[in-house]
Amino acid sequence: MNKAARNERIKITATWFNGAAVAALAVGCFAPIVAFVTSTAHIPLRNLNLLVRARFFLSVSLHWAARKVLRGIEE
């Protein structure tokens, strides 16, 4: 496989990781907060805090994984 094709595969993999990070942030952080604020979910505030922190950590970890994958690009 040539260098350009390998670099494209690396970019696609990084894009997947970053997309998963965005999804984890949206579904795991923003959605529960909106549900709590609009009172459609009766989640204790402590549980909400733990859920949001865990999903935020997951999101950041996936984003950093994407950045690590991009380090494999050859010039």
Side-chain angles (χ1 to χ4, degrees):
M1 177 183 332
N2 65 16
K3 187 171 27 171
R6 185 175 185 283
N7 285 345
E8 285 303 313
R9 283 186 176 201
I10 289 171
K11 286 192 272 185
I12 288 170
T13 302
T15 300
W16 186 89
F17 274 115
N18 203 48
V22 170
L25 186 67
V27 174
C29 292
F30 296 142
I33 291 172
V34 170
F36 182 79
V37 170
T38 61
S39 299
T40 59
H42 300 289
I43 302 170
L45 192 55
R46 182 172 186 219
N47 292 349
L48 178 68
N49 187 16
L50 291 173
L51 173 71
V52 169
R53 285 177 186 245
R55 297 299 185 203
F56 183 77
F57 178 75
L58 173 65
S59 178
V60 170
S61 298
L62 288 168
H63 177 72
W64 280 103
R67 291 176 59 97
K68 185 171 179 153
V69 166
L70 285 174
R71 290 183 193 149
I73 288 183
E74 299 174 16
E75 295 198 27

